[in-house]
Amino acid sequence: MSEPIEEPELPAAEPVPPSRWRMQLVWLVPIVAILIGGWLAVKAVMERGEEITISFKTGEGLEAGKTKIKFKDVDIGVVDTVSLSPDHKRVIAKAEVVRDVANLMVENTRFWVVRPRISGGTVSGLGTLLSGSFIDVDAGNAAKARREFVGLEEPPVIASDVPGREFTLKGVGLGSLDVGSPIYFRRLRVGQVASYQLDPDGRGVTLKVFVNAPYDQFVRTDARFWHASGVDMSFGADGLRVETQSIVSIIIGGIAFESPPESRVDTGAAAGTQFTLYPTRDDAMKQHDRIVDRYVVVFNDSVRGLAVGAPIDFRGVVMGEVKAIYTRFDPATNRFSIPVEIEIYPERFTSRYQDGQAGGRVTDDPRRMANYLIEHGFRFQLRSGNPLTGQLYLAFDYFPDAPKASIDWSKTPPELPATPRALQSLQDSVSRLMTKLNNIPFEAIGKDARDTLRTTNSMLAQLDKEVVPKARDTLGSAQSALDSANAALQPDSSLQQSTEDAMRELTRTAASLRTLSDYLAQHPEALVRGKPEQKP
């Protein structure tokens, strides 16, 4: 009988309690979803751009979610919202720019809306007619960051990264200039007008101009700027002269600059240097004298044709100009006079640039020199500068017949004597002659002449009655005497024959006397002894 098979003993099962921390597979999916969502959120926050606020005067061209912000034609952001400011005076555009360009949002960064514009002879923004308006950016270079900006209403003429220098011009008027008007140097366009504004006192305008590199090096410290708008015409010894910069400057205006021809300055002007803006090139290139003496010349005759700015001529050399013209009434004499205020430039009498040195006065005692000139007959006189227009100028010259005069140094400015012009002197002479003629008693003279004529007529009538018949008889007798004399002088008359015989006798007598005279000249002793007898 077979033995029974022994089965192995199995270990006893021991119960194990379930763990509280064991993760169920069912929770794996939501956990992964949460992690992905968190990562996306963090990524979105990290990639979120910088928010900026730009205020504009109007909302033209701005549209939320569509208007882009561009820098060098690259999209760097978009406008999120467009709303009005709390005071309803401006439009607030909130935008988001990419984080990579956040460092461009600094103090002097500028924003403006690009739309079609025509300014300063240039047309810009035509591409926005199809693509729509956008906000352009001019990146600044400041160190301080900024997130709120005030947008420009007009695009800046000069970008921040354009090399060159900006200068300030002071002028009397703007003329035909505008933002973007060209700046010329030797008829080359080298810059443009950046901005302009009226001075606080209202007496002029201030312009900011930008000259591009490398032309900015030619703006010397003695540079002269002038309006290049229109056409400058002048008549000279060589005929008509016409000057202009370009056709563009004639239409939209412009500014030109240049250093004086005799300039020896090589130093470039620093950025921001202020210059004067002159109306014309001739005004800009005038000598700018350091020494100016102010006087007054008093005229008693008319100054019609004399204008402020008229030159003062000394034998062909301009030595000054007229600054003001007034009228003055003298209660003591009850007469009007015309004081003309002038400026004299003593440097014009010396070599201004002799040996590279600036000129000065002729003498160290200008009063003594002025007194000497006036005492020796130098005077101011009005003369015609242009017979066609009637313009006058002041001439300072020597007049030997001028009455004695002196300078009144007690007045400010001192008064210098003048002499009437030649035409005025002629008029004065004619006036004096007419005064003398008016003093002649022509009426009494006429009455006397009528009485004399009446007496003469009476005498002529008496002569016709008494004297004329006697005169007629006398003339008849004279005619008879003349007829008798004429008959006596006929060739066949007895008087004529007797006269011829007498003349022949006189001729023979004269011949005998001549023979006697010759003989006595040879034999003077004959007067005592007589003529000797001739021997046989």
Side-chain angles (χ1 to χ4, degrees), residues 45-166:
V45 172
M46 293 180 63
E47 292 182 352
R48 181 178 178 83
E50 294 285 341
E51 290 186 356
I52 61 173
T53 301
I54 311 172
S55 68
F56 294 96
K57 187 175 181 180
T58 66
E60 181 183 0
L62 299 178
E63 192 173 353
K66 291 185 178 180
T67 304
K68 298 183 181 297
I69 300 176
K70 295 186 178 183
F71 176 66
K72 295 186 177 181
D73 288 334
V74 177
D75 293 345
I76 63 171
V78 65
V79 175
D80 292 333
T81 62
V82 178
S83 61
L84 291 173
S85 62
D87 59 0
H88 300 167
K89 293 183 178 180
R90 297 187 67 84
V91 175
I92 306 299
K94 292 185 178 181
E96 181 180 328
V97 296
V98 296
R99 187 175 295 273
D100 294 342
V101 297
N103 59 343
L104 297 180
M105 305 297 110
V106 294
E107 283 284 343
N108 56 350
T109 297
R110 298 178 290 182
F111 296 84
W112 68 94
V113 179
V114 177
R115 60 176 73 99
R117 284 186 176 90
I118 299 177
S119 177
T122 60
V123 180
S124 62
L126 292 181
T128 59
L129 293 175
L130 301 177
S131 62
S133 300
F134 62 91
I135 298 177
D136 206 348
V137 180
D138 178 33
N141 54 5
K144 186 178 180 181
R146 186 177 180 181
R147 294 297 180 265
E148 294 184 357
F149 302 90
V150 177
L152 304 177
E153 299 305 318
E154 298 288 339
V157 179
I158 311 300
S160 300
D161 57 350
V162 175
R165 277 180 283 182
E166 189 177 67

Side-chain angles (χ1 to χ4, degrees), residues 7 28 32 57 61 94 130 140 184 202 237 290 310 329 366 373 390 424:
E7 295 181 357
L28 183 61
V32 172
K57 187 175 181 180
K94 292 185 178 181
L130 301 177
Y184 294 97
R290 298 177 299 109
F329 178 73
L373 293 175
Q424 185 67 31

Side-chain angles (χ1 to χ4, degrees), residues 185-485:
F185 176 70
R186 301 191 183 278
R187 292 186 171 85
L188 272 167
R189 181 167 181 167
V190 298
Q192 51 275 331
V193 176
S195 64
Y196 61 84
Q197 65 178 6
L198 185 68
D199 292 342
D201 58 2
R203 297 184 178 181
V205 293
T206 301
L207 296 91
K208 300 289 186 180
V209 298
F210 188 85
V211 180
N212 301 321
Y215 307 107
D216 57 339
Q217 63 180 316
F218 300 114
V219 183
R220 314 293 189 191
T221 54
D222 63 344
R224 312 283 173 83
F225 289 79
W226 68 89
H227 282 276
S229 309
V231 180
D232 294 333
M233 294 188 298
S234 62
F235 289 91
D238 52 353
L240 177 64
R241 185 185 65 179
V242 180
E243 289 188 2
T244 183
Q245 294 298 322
S246 68
I247 299 298
V248 175
S249 68
I250 297 176
I251 299 173
I252 67 172
I255 296 174
F257 74 90
E258 191 177 334
S259 293
E262 69 276 7
S263 173
R264 299 186 181 185
V265 177
D266 295 329
T267 306
T273 302
Q274 180 174 305
F275 296 93
T276 300
L277 179 61
Y278 296 93
T280 63
R281 186 181 189 278
D282 290 339
D283 293 331
M285 291 303 168
K286 282 182 180 179
Q287 286 186 220
H288 291 235
D289 300 87
R290 298 177 299 109
I291 305 175
V292 179
D293 293 337
R294 191 176 291 266
Y295 297 96
V296 168
V297 182
V298 181
F299 292 94
N300 294 318
D301 49 339
S302 174
V303 296
R304 181 180 180 84
L306 183 68
V308 174
I312 300 175
D313 181 273
F314 175 70
R315 299 182 178 180
V317 177
V318 177
M319 55 175 281
E321 65 179 22
V322 175
K323 301 304 294 183
I325 302 174
Y326 306 100
T327 58
R328 184 171 65 190
F329 178 73
D330 187 359
T333 60
N334 292 329
R335 297 184 63 181
F336 284 94
S337 59
I338 310 296
V340 177
E341 192 171 324
I342 64 173
E343 285 186 351
I344 302 297
Y345 309 125
E347 292 175 296
R348 303 287 179 91
F349 292 95
T350 60
S351 179
R352 182 173 175 84
Y353 291 104
Q354 184 175 4
D355 299 329
Q357 300 295 327
R361 296 183 181 274
V362 178
T363 176
D364 295 334
D365 191 355
R367 288 196 176 189
R368 181 173 175 273
M369 182 69 177
N371 288 331
Y372 175 83
L373 293 175
I374 298 303
E375 290 173 0
H376 287 76
F378 278 85
R379 298 289 187 274
F380 287 90
Q381 185 186 54
L382 290 170
R383 292 181 182 177
S384 176
N386 191 328
L388 297 178
T389 61
Q391 293 179 342
L392 301 179
Y393 69 94
L394 276 182
F396 184 64
D397 210 337
Y398 175 64
F399 297 90
D401 298 331
K404 296 293 184 179
S406 60
I407 303 176
D408 188 355
W409 295 103
S410 63
K411 295 184 178 180
T412 304
E415 290 190 1
L416 301 177
T419 186
R421 49 181 168 165
L423 181 60
Q424 185 67 31
S425 299
L426 178 60
Q427 292 177 350
D428 294 341
S429 299
V430 173
S431 298
R432 288 193 294 270
L433 177 60
M434 293 301 298
T435 301
K436 292 180 179 179
L437 291 176
N438 290 332
N439 294 330
I440 297 176
F442 286 104
E443 185 176 354
I445 293 175
K447 182 179 179 180
D448 294 342
R450 285 193 296 271
D451 295 342
T452 303
L453 183 61
R454 195 177 298 111
T455 303
T456 303
N457 289 334
S458 299
M459 292 177 62
L460 290 175
Q462 186 177 1
L463 289 174
D464 186 51
K465 292 179 181 179
E466 299 179 2
V467 178
V468 171
K470 296 180 179 179
R472 187 181 298 111
D473 296 340
T474 303
L475 290 175
S477 301
Q479 184 65 38
S480 299
L482 289 175
D483 292 339
S484 300

